[in-house]
Amino acid sequence: MHYYDFSIKQLEDKATELLIEFDKERLEKTKPLDVYEVIEKCLGVPYDWKYLTPDQSVLGATAFSDGYFWAWPESTYREGMMPYKVGVEKGTILIDTTLTEGDNRGRENFTVMHEVFHQRLHRKCFRDEGRNYMHQTYSRTIDGNIRCASYALKIIERQANACAAAFLMPADLTKQIYEEKYRSAGFTRYNYGFMWNLIKDMSDDFNVSKQAMSYRLQNLGLIDENEENLLK
């Protein structure tokens, strides 16, 4: 496997490029988002929803070649239940069906964009024509904890995470809205009740989970580790 060692700025720039291609107004204001429109407009690849695992340990998958994937008939394992084979064509993005059920829109959006950036950044990492490459995104990967074996896989997971965050929460706009909400409140920086509500409000504004917004604010230097931990 080969991968490109992008800098943080380069990853932010990759996300900005896709934002401009998809809808450049999103760099200046928050708007409702259908992440599947990004796939349709900017990638033109198939996508589908399946129960990828019976314990939600895998939330997304990307096919870098024609092949197959083992899916499950239900979201929860029952004794005797077996997976079934799903044929996929090169480029297909699969999203775990559980993300479409209940209040999971933020996690769904992040998972989809994570897979989108695997398509944009990492196709050449999986181009061995003699193998069936189906890259899986573990649930722990998208919320900050890397769960994969090799160093190269850890790098590309971090890259997809960084780009997904930068696309969904553009740096300048995120900073602007944070500062506006923070200044208007008049509280001290360490009022945790206020910070929790601020993170919740901003996660709603940007169509992401509270955890994703918390990580983004920390990575942009707007909140410290103690404030980020208040959501755990």
Side-chain angles (χ1 to χ4, degrees):
M1 174 186 294
H2 302 283
Y3 65 90
Y4 298 100
D5 192 11
F6 296 106
S7 68
I8 293 175
K9 182 181 183 305
Q10 287 174 320
L11 293 172
E12 292 276 343
D13 288 345
K14 293 289 185 183
T16 299
E17 289 172 9
L18 186 60
L19 275 166
I20 292 171
E21 181 181 344
F22 175 65
D23 181 359
K24 64 181 180 181
E25 284 188 355
R26 303 189 66 84
L27 289 167
E28 301 175 353
K29 62 181 181 181
T30 59
K31 301 170 64 175
L33 175 65
D34 181 348
V35 286
Y36 299 101
E37 289 184 359
V38 181
I39 298 177
E40 294 170 359
K41 180 176 180 179
C42 302
L43 295 183
V45 300
Y47 57 89
D48 202 354
W49 301 265
K50 302 290 182 184
Y51 290 118
L52 303 182
T53 55
D55 60 0
Q56 293 78 61
S57 60
V58 175
L59 297 181
T62 294
F64 287 97
S65 63
D66 295 334
Y68 62 87
F69 186 84
W70 292 97
W72 293 79
E74 298 178 19
S75 62
T76 304
Y77 179 77
R78 292 182 294 103
E79 185 175 357
M81 189 168 72
M82 298 292 292
Y84 61 95
K85 187 180 291 188
V86 177
V88 292
E89 63 179 274
K90 183 176 181 180
T92 299
I93 291 175
L94 293 177
I95 300 299
D96 191 71
T97 303
T98 60
L99 292 178
T100 68
E101 302 168 346
D103 186 20
N104 290 311
R105 177 54 65 87
R107 296 190 78 196
E108 181 181 7
N109 287 348
F110 198 97
T111 302
V112 171
M113 293 312 306
H114 180 104
E115 299 301 331
V116 165
F117 280 104
H118 277 317
Q119 294 271 6
R120 298 284 283 202
L121 300 178
H122 303 133
R123 290 184 183 182
K124 292 182 179 179
C125 297
F126 300 93
R127 63 181 180 183
D128 186 343
E129 299 299 332
R131 296 181 62 184
N132 171 27
Y133 275 116
M134 190 77 187
H135 178 69
Q136 301 175 30
T137 299
Y138 292 96
S139 58
R140 292 184 183 179
T141 302
I142 66 168
D143 59 14
N145 297 313
I146 305 300
R147 179 184 170 184
C148 46
S150 74
Y151 178 76
L153 280 174
K154 290 180 181 180
I155 293 296
I156 68 172
E157 290 303 299
R158 289 192 181 102
Q159 291 174 353
N161 281 348
C163 285
F167 180 93
L168 294 166
M169 299 163 279
D172 289 345
L173 182 59
T174 301
K175 292 176 183 178
Q176 174 191 325
I177 293 178
Y178 173 86
E179 294 296 341
E180 289 173 354
K181 290 179 180 290
Y182 183 73
R183 284 198 308 268
S184 66
F187 289 107
T188 62
R189 185 172 177 82
Y190 293 99
N191 185 306
Y192 287 139
F194 164 70
M195 292 304 303
W196 193 95
N197 286 316
L198 182 148
I199 291 169
K200 181 180 183 301
D201 287 346
M202 290 189 66
S203 68
D204 292 339
D205 292 339
F206 286 91
N207 307 286
V208 297
S209 69
K210 293 187 291 294
Q211 198 72 56
M213 177 55 66
S214 180
Y215 280 122
R216 183 62 166 158
L217 292 176
Q218 186 184 25
N219 290 336
L220 291 174
L222 297 173
I223 64 176
D224 64 21
E225 184 178 356
N226 290 328
E227 292 166 332
E228 191 272 336
N229 285 336
L230 66 90
L231 291 180
K232 293 182 177 179

PDB file of all heavy atoms in Angstrom, residues 8-31:
ATOM      1  N   ILE A   8      -1.459  19.214   7.178  1.00  0.00           N
ATOM      2  CA  ILE A   8      -2.787  19.641   7.626  1.00  0.00           C
ATOM      3  C   ILE A   8      -3.354  20.679   6.666  1.00  0.00           C
ATOM      4  O   ILE A   8      -4.536  20.624   6.302  1.00  0.00           O
ATOM      5  CB  ILE A   8      -2.709  20.205   9.060  1.00  0.00           C
ATOM      6  CG1 ILE A   8      -2.361  19.086  10.039  1.00  0.00           C
ATOM      7  CG2 ILE A   8      -4.029  20.868   9.444  1.00  0.00           C
ATOM      8  CD1 ILE A   8      -2.146  19.552  11.448  1.00  0.00           C
ATOM      9  N   LYS A   9      -2.527  21.622   6.238  1.00  0.00           N
ATOM     10  CA  LYS A   9      -3.003  22.650   5.301  1.00  0.00           C
ATOM     11  C   LYS A   9      -3.440  22.023   3.980  1.00  0.00           C
ATOM     12  O   LYS A   9      -4.464  22.420   3.405  1.00  0.00           O
ATOM     13  CB  LYS A   9      -1.912  23.685   5.034  1.00  0.00           C
ATOM     14  CG  LYS A   9      -2.377  24.802   4.096  1.00  0.00           C
ATOM     15  CD  LYS A   9      -1.292  25.801   3.809  1.00  0.00           C
ATOM     16  CE  LYS A   9      -1.819  26.946   2.934  1.00  0.00           C
ATOM     17  NZ  LYS A   9      -2.435  26.496   1.672  1.00  0.00           N
ATOM     18  N   GLN A  10      -2.690  21.054   3.485  1.00  0.00           N
ATOM     19  CA  GLN A  10      -3.071  20.409   2.229  1.00  0.00           C
ATOM     20  C   GLN A  10      -4.414  19.693   2.361  1.00  0.00           C
ATOM     21  O   GLN A  10      -5.225  19.725   1.438  1.00  0.00           O
ATOM     22  CB  GLN A  10      -1.982  19.428   1.800  1.00  0.00           C
ATOM     23  CG  GLN A  10      -0.726  20.093   1.267  1.00  0.00           C
ATOM     24  CD  GLN A  10       0.384  19.104   0.987  1.00  0.00           C
ATOM     25  OE1 GLN A  10       0.600  18.162   1.768  1.00  0.00           O
ATOM     26  NE2 GLN A  10       1.088  19.296  -0.117  1.00  0.00           N
ATOM     27  N   LEU A  11      -4.659  19.061   3.511  1.00  0.00           N
ATOM     28  CA  LEU A  11      -5.936  18.386   3.722  1.00  0.00           C
ATOM     29  C   LEU A  11      -7.073  19.398   3.812  1.00  0.00           C
ATOM     30  O   LEU A  11      -8.157  19.180   3.261  1.00  0.00           O
ATOM     31  CB  LEU A  11      -5.872  17.534   4.989  1.00  0.00           C
ATOM     32  CG  LEU A  11      -4.918  16.336   4.926  1.00  0.00           C
ATOM     33  CD1 LEU A  11      -4.782  15.692   6.297  1.00  0.00           C
ATOM     34  CD2 LEU A  11      -5.392  15.313   3.903  1.00  0.00           C
ATOM     35  N   GLU A  12      -6.846  20.516   4.490  1.00  0.00           N
ATOM     36  CA  GLU A  12      -7.847  21.575   4.534  1.00  0.00           C
ATOM     37  C   GLU A  12      -8.125  22.094   3.119  1.00  0.00           C
ATOM     38  O   GLU A  12      -9.278  22.344   2.745  1.00  0.00           O
ATOM     39  CB  GLU A  12      -7.374  22.724   5.429  1.00  0.00           C
ATOM     40  CG  GLU A  12      -7.286  22.391   6.905  1.00  0.00           C
ATOM     41  CD  GLU A  12      -8.610  22.526   7.636  1.00  0.00           C
ATOM     42  OE1 GLU A  12      -9.531  23.176   7.101  1.00  0.00           O
ATOM     43  OE2 GLU A  12      -8.725  21.982   8.744  1.00  0.00           O
ATOM     44  N   ASP A  13      -7.070  22.229   2.322  1.00  0.00           N
ATOM     45  CA  ASP A  13      -7.229  22.712   0.944  1.00  0.00           C
ATOM     46  C   ASP A  13      -8.017  21.709   0.097  1.00  0.00           C
ATOM     47  O   ASP A  13      -8.838  22.108  -0.746  1.00  0.00           O
ATOM     48  CB  ASP A  13      -5.866  22.961   0.302  1.00  0.00           C
ATOM     49  CG  ASP A  13      -5.157  24.187   0.872  1.00  0.00           C
ATOM     50  OD1 ASP A  13      -5.828  24.997   1.549  1.00  0.00           O
ATOM     51  OD2 ASP A  13      -3.936  24.317   0.643  1.00  0.00           O
ATOM     52  N   LYS A  14      -7.779  20.406   0.308  1.00  0.00           N
ATOM     53  CA  LYS A  14      -8.540  19.387  -0.429  1.00  0.00           C
ATOM     54  C   LYS A  14     -10.028  19.494  -0.108  1.00  0.00           C
ATOM     55  O   LYS A  14     -10.881  19.373  -0.995  1.00  0.00           O
ATOM     56  CB  LYS A  14      -8.027  17.992  -0.069  1.00  0.00           C
ATOM     57  CG  LYS A  14      -6.624  17.675  -0.529  1.00  0.00           C
ATOM     58  CD  LYS A  14      -6.538  17.504  -2.026  1.00  0.00           C
ATOM     59  CE  LYS A  14      -5.152  17.068  -2.438  1.00  0.00           C
ATOM     60  NZ  LYS A  14      -5.019  16.952  -3.932  1.00  0.00           N
ATOM     61  N   ALA A  15     -10.340  19.720   1.162  1.00  0.00           N
ATOM     62  CA  ALA A  15     -11.741  19.865   1.557  1.00  0.00           C
ATOM     63  C   ALA A  15     -12.347  21.129   0.950  1.00  0.00           C
ATOM     64  O   ALA A  15     -13.488  21.117   0.477  1.00  0.00           O
ATOM     65  CB  ALA A  15     -11.846  19.909   3.073  1.00  0.00           C
ATOM     66  N   THR A  16     -11.573  22.211   0.949  1.00  0.00           N
ATOM     67  CA  THR A  16     -12.058  23.464   0.366  1.00  0.00           C
ATOM     68  C   THR A  16     -12.315  23.311  -1.127  1.00  0.00           C
ATOM     69  O   THR A  16     -13.314  23.815  -1.652  1.00  0.00           O
ATOM     70  CB  THR A  16     -11.046  24.590   0.616  1.00  0.00           C
ATOM     71  OG1 THR A  16     -10.879  24.780   2.028  1.00  0.00           O
ATOM     72  CG2 THR A  16     -11.524  25.901  -0.003  1.00  0.00           C
ATOM     73  N   GLU A  17     -11.443  22.599  -1.818  1.00  0.00           N
ATOM     74  CA  GLU A  17     -11.634  22.357  -3.249  1.00  0.00           C
ATOM     75  C   GLU A  17     -12.962  21.650  -3.511  1.00  0.00           C
ATOM     76  O   GLU A  17     -13.697  22.011  -4.438  1.00  0.00           O
ATOM     77  CB  GLU A  17     -10.481  21.505  -3.796  1.00  0.00           C
ATOM     78  CG  GLU A  17      -9.154  22.222  -3.882  1.00  0.00           C
ATOM     79  CD  GLU A  17      -8.018  21.294  -4.244  1.00  0.00           C
ATOM     80  OE1 GLU A  17      -8.302  20.106  -4.591  1.00  0.00           O
ATOM     81  OE2 GLU A  17      -6.849  21.701  -4.183  1.00  0.00           O
ATOM     82  N   LEU A  18     -13.275  20.641  -2.690  1.00  0.00           N
ATOM     83  CA  LEU A  18     -14.527  19.923  -2.888  1.00  0.00           C
ATOM     84  C   LEU A  18     -15.727  20.786  -2.524  1.00  0.00           C
ATOM     85  O   LEU A  18     -16.765  20.720  -3.188  1.00  0.00           O
ATOM     86  CB  LEU A  18     -14.531  18.634  -2.064  1.00  0.00           C
ATOM     87  CG  LEU A  18     -15.731  17.701  -2.294  1.00  0.00           C
ATOM     88  CD1 LEU A  18     -15.798  17.259  -3.755  1.00  0.00           C
ATOM     89  CD2 LEU A  18     -15.654  16.485  -1.377  1.00  0.00           C
ATOM     90  N   LEU A  19     -15.588  21.612  -1.501  1.00  0.00           N
ATOM     91  CA  LEU A  19     -16.668  22.533  -1.146  1.00  0.00           C
ATOM     92  C   LEU A  19     -16.971  23.496  -2.290  1.00  0.00           C
ATOM     93  O   LEU A  19     -18.131  23.757  -2.608  1.00  0.00           O
ATOM     94  CB  LEU A  19     -16.296  23.322   0.118  1.00  0.00           C
ATOM     95  CG  LEU A  19     -16.599  22.650   1.451  1.00  0.00           C
ATOM     96  CD1 LEU A  19     -15.873  23.373   2.581  1.00  0.00           C
ATOM     97  CD2 LEU A  19     -18.099  22.638   1.724  1.00  0.00           C
ATOM     98  N   ILE A  20     -15.943  24.022  -2.889  1.00  0.00           N
ATOM     99  CA  ILE A  20     -16.133  24.946  -4.015  1.00  0.00           C
ATOM    100  C   ILE A  20     -16.784  24.227  -5.183  1.00  0.00           C
ATOM    101  O   ILE A  20     -17.674  24.758  -5.852  1.00  0.00           O
ATOM    102  CB  ILE A  20     -14.782  25.575  -4.425  1.00  0.00           C
ATOM    103  CG1 ILE A  20     -14.284  26.500  -3.310  1.00  0.00           C
ATOM    104  CG2 ILE A  20     -14.912  26.337  -5.744  1.00  0.00           C
ATOM    105  CD1 ILE A  20     -12.870  26.998  -3.516  1.00  0.00           C
ATOM    106  N   GLU A  21     -16.356  23.013  -5.438  1.00  0.00           N
ATOM    107  CA  GLU A  21     -16.939  22.215  -6.518  1.00  0.00           C
ATOM    108  C   GLU A  21     -18.403  21.898  -6.248  1.00  0.00           C
ATOM    109  O   GLU A  21     -19.235  21.936  -7.161  1.00  0.00           O
ATOM    110  CB  GLU A  21     -16.144  20.921  -6.675  1.00  0.00           C
ATOM    111  CG  GLU A  21     -16.627  20.010  -7.775  1.00  0.00           C
ATOM    112  CD  GLU A  21     -15.815  18.729  -7.862  1.00  0.00           C
ATOM    113  OE1 GLU A  21     -14.709  18.662  -7.280  1.00  0.00           O
ATOM    114  OE2 GLU A  21     -16.293  17.778  -8.500  1.00  0.00           O
ATOM    115  N   PHE A  22     -18.734  21.605  -4.995  1.00  0.00           N
ATOM    116  CA  PHE A  22     -20.093  21.206  -4.648  1.00  0.00           C
ATOM    117  C   PHE A  22     -21.003  22.402  -4.424  1.00  0.00           C
ATOM    118  O   PHE A  22     -22.092  22.502  -5.024  1.00  0.00           O
ATOM    119  CB  PHE A  22     -20.065  20.327  -3.396  1.00  0.00           C
ATOM    120  CG  PHE A  22     -21.433  19.955  -2.894  1.00  0.00           C
ATOM    121  CD1 PHE A  22     -22.282  19.161  -3.653  1.00  0.00           C
ATOM    122  CD2 PHE A  22     -21.879  20.399  -1.652  1.00  0.00           C
ATOM    123  CE1 PHE A  22     -23.554  18.825  -3.197  1.00  0.00           C
ATOM    124  CE2 PHE A  22     -23.142  20.064  -1.184  1.00  0.00           C
ATOM    125  CZ  PHE A  22     -23.987  19.280  -1.956  1.00  0.00           C
ATOM    126  N   ASP A  23     -20.609  23.320  -3.571  1.00  0.00           N
ATOM    127  CA  ASP A  23     -21.443  24.481  -3.236  1.00  0.00           C
ATOM    128  C   ASP A  23     -20.592  25.470  -2.454  1.00  0.00           C
ATOM    129  O   ASP A  23     -20.464  25.365  -1.236  1.00  0.00           O
ATOM    130  CB  ASP A  23     -22.651  24.038  -2.401  1.00  0.00           C
ATOM    131  CG  ASP A  23     -23.577  25.189  -2.037  1.00  0.00           C
ATOM    132  OD1 ASP A  23     -23.277  26.345  -2.414  1.00  0.00           O
ATOM    133  OD2 ASP A  23     -24.587  24.946  -1.358  1.00  0.00           O
ATOM    134  N   LYS A  24     -20.010  26.452  -3.145  1.00  0.00           N
ATOM    135  CA  LYS A  24     -19.061  27.359  -2.495  1.00  0.00           C
ATOM    136  C   LYS A  24     -19.704  28.262  -1.446  1.00  0.00           C
ATOM    137  O   LYS A  24     -19.000  28.818  -0.595  1.00  0.00           O
ATOM    138  CB  LYS A  24     -18.338  28.212  -3.540  1.00  0.00           C
ATOM    139  CG  LYS A  24     -19.221  29.150  -4.331  1.00  0.00           C
ATOM    140  CD  LYS A  24     -18.382  29.905  -5.353  1.00  0.00           C
ATOM    141  CE  LYS A  24     -19.230  30.865  -6.181  1.00  0.00           C
ATOM    142  NZ  LYS A  24     -18.417  31.580  -7.189  1.00  0.00           N
ATOM    143  N   GLU A  25     -21.041  28.389  -1.485  1.00  0.00           N
ATOM    144  CA  GLU A  25     -21.705  29.175  -0.445  1.00  0.00           C
ATOM    145  C   GLU A  25     -21.508  28.564   0.941  1.00  0.00           C
ATOM    146  O   GLU A  25     -21.595  29.267   1.957  1.00  0.00           O
ATOM    147  CB  GLU A  25     -23.208  29.286  -0.727  1.00  0.00           C
ATOM    148  CG  GLU A  25     -23.570  30.257  -1.831  1.00  0.00           C
ATOM    149  CD  GLU A  25     -25.060  30.477  -1.928  1.00  0.00           C
ATOM    150  OE1 GLU A  25     -25.821  29.789  -1.198  1.00  0.00           O
ATOM    151  OE2 GLU A  25     -25.478  31.339  -2.713  1.00  0.00           O
ATOM    152  N   ARG A  26     -21.223  27.269   1.003  1.00  0.00           N
ATOM    153  CA  ARG A  26     -21.045  26.602   2.288  1.00  0.00           C
ATOM    154  C   ARG A  26     -19.775  27.040   2.996  1.00  0.00           C
ATOM    155  O   ARG A  26     -19.589  26.744   4.178  1.00  0.00           O
ATOM    156  CB  ARG A  26     -21.053  25.084   2.110  1.00  0.00           C
ATOM    157  CG  ARG A  26     -22.314  24.537   1.448  1.00  0.00           C
ATOM    158  CD  ARG A  26     -22.365  23.031   1.505  1.00  0.00           C
ATOM    159  NE  ARG A  26     -22.496  22.590   2.878  1.00  0.00           N
ATOM    160  CZ  ARG A  26     -23.661  22.502   3.521  1.00  0.00           C
ATOM    161  NH1 ARG A  26     -24.796  22.822   2.899  1.00  0.00           N
ATOM    162  NH2 ARG A  26     -23.704  22.105   4.764  1.00  0.00           N
ATOM    163  N   LEU A  27     -18.905  27.752   2.296  1.00  0.00           N
ATOM    164  CA  LEU A  27     -17.729  28.326   2.935  1.00  0.00           C
ATOM    165  C   LEU A  27     -18.076  29.591   3.719  1.00  0.00           C
ATOM    166  O   LEU A  27     -17.299  30.028   4.574  1.00  0.00           O
ATOM    167  CB  LEU A  27     -16.666  28.668   1.890  1.00  0.00           C
ATOM    168  CG  LEU A  27     -15.960  27.483   1.238  1.00  0.00           C
ATOM    169  CD1 LEU A  27     -15.177  27.941   0.017  1.00  0.00           C
ATOM    170  CD2 LEU A  27     -15.034  26.792   2.244  1.00  0.00           C
ATOM    171  N   GLU A  28     -19.248  30.167   3.438  1.00  0.00           N
ATOM    172  CA  GLU A  28     -19.608  31.450   4.029  1.00  0.00           C
ATOM    173  C   GLU A  28     -20.808  31.389   4.949  1.00  0.00           C
ATOM    174  O   GLU A  28     -21.020  32.286   5.757  1.00  0.00           O
ATOM    175  CB  GLU A  28     -19.894  32.464   2.909  1.00  0.00           C
ATOM    176  CG  GLU A  28     -18.701  32.676   1.981  1.00  0.00           C
ATOM    177  CD  GLU A  28     -19.032  33.572   0.810  1.00  0.00           C
ATOM    178  OE1 GLU A  28     -20.235  33.917   0.642  1.00  0.00           O
ATOM    179  OE2 GLU A  28     -18.108  33.933   0.066  1.00  0.00           O
ATOM    180  N   LYS A  29     -21.634  30.345   4.841  1.00  0.00           N
ATOM    181  CA  LYS A  29     -22.801  30.234   5.709  1.00  0.00           C
ATOM    182  C   LYS A  29     -23.206  28.780   5.853  1.00  0.00           C
ATOM    183  O   LYS A  29     -22.944  27.959   4.972  1.00  0.00           O
ATOM    184  CB  LYS A  29     -23.969  31.050   5.166  1.00  0.00           C
ATOM    185  CG  LYS A  29     -24.477  30.604   3.806  1.00  0.00           C
ATOM    186  CD  LYS A  29     -25.633  31.497   3.347  1.00  0.00           C
ATOM    187  CE  LYS A  29     -26.183  31.049   2.001  1.00  0.00           C
ATOM    188  NZ  LYS A  29     -27.295  31.919   1.545  1.00  0.00           N
ATOM    189  N   THR A  30     -23.845  28.463   6.973  1.00  0.00           N
ATOM    190  CA  THR A  30     -24.335  27.105   7.192  1.00  0.00           C
ATOM    191  C   THR A  30     -25.629  26.904   6.410  1.00  0.00           C
ATOM    192  O   THR A  30     -26.436  27.816   6.281  1.00  0.00           O
ATOM    193  CB  THR A  30     -24.579  26.833   8.685  1.00  0.00           C
ATOM    194  OG1 THR A  30     -25.539  27.772   9.185  1.00  0.00           O
ATOM    195  CG2 THR A  30     -23.285  26.972   9.475  1.00  0.00           C
ATOM    196  N   LYS A  31     -25.780  25.676   5.890  1.00  0.00           N
ATOM    197  CA  LYS A  31     -26.949  25.348   5.085  1.00  0.00           C
ATOM    198  C   LYS A  31     -27.318  23.891   5.334  1.00  0.00           C
ATOM    199  O   LYS A  31     -26.468  23.093   5.726  1.00  0.00           O
ATOM    200  CB  LYS A  31     -26.644  25.537   3.581  1.00  0.00           C
ATOM    201  CG  LYS A  31     -26.217  26.932   3.178  1.00  0.00           C
ATOM    202  CD  LYS A  31     -25.707  26.965   1.751  1.00  0.00           C
ATOM    203  CE  LYS A  31     -26.768  26.617   0.730  1.00  0.00           C
ATOM    204  NZ  LYS A  31     -26.259  26.766  -0.650  1.00  0.00           N
TER     205      LYS A  31
END
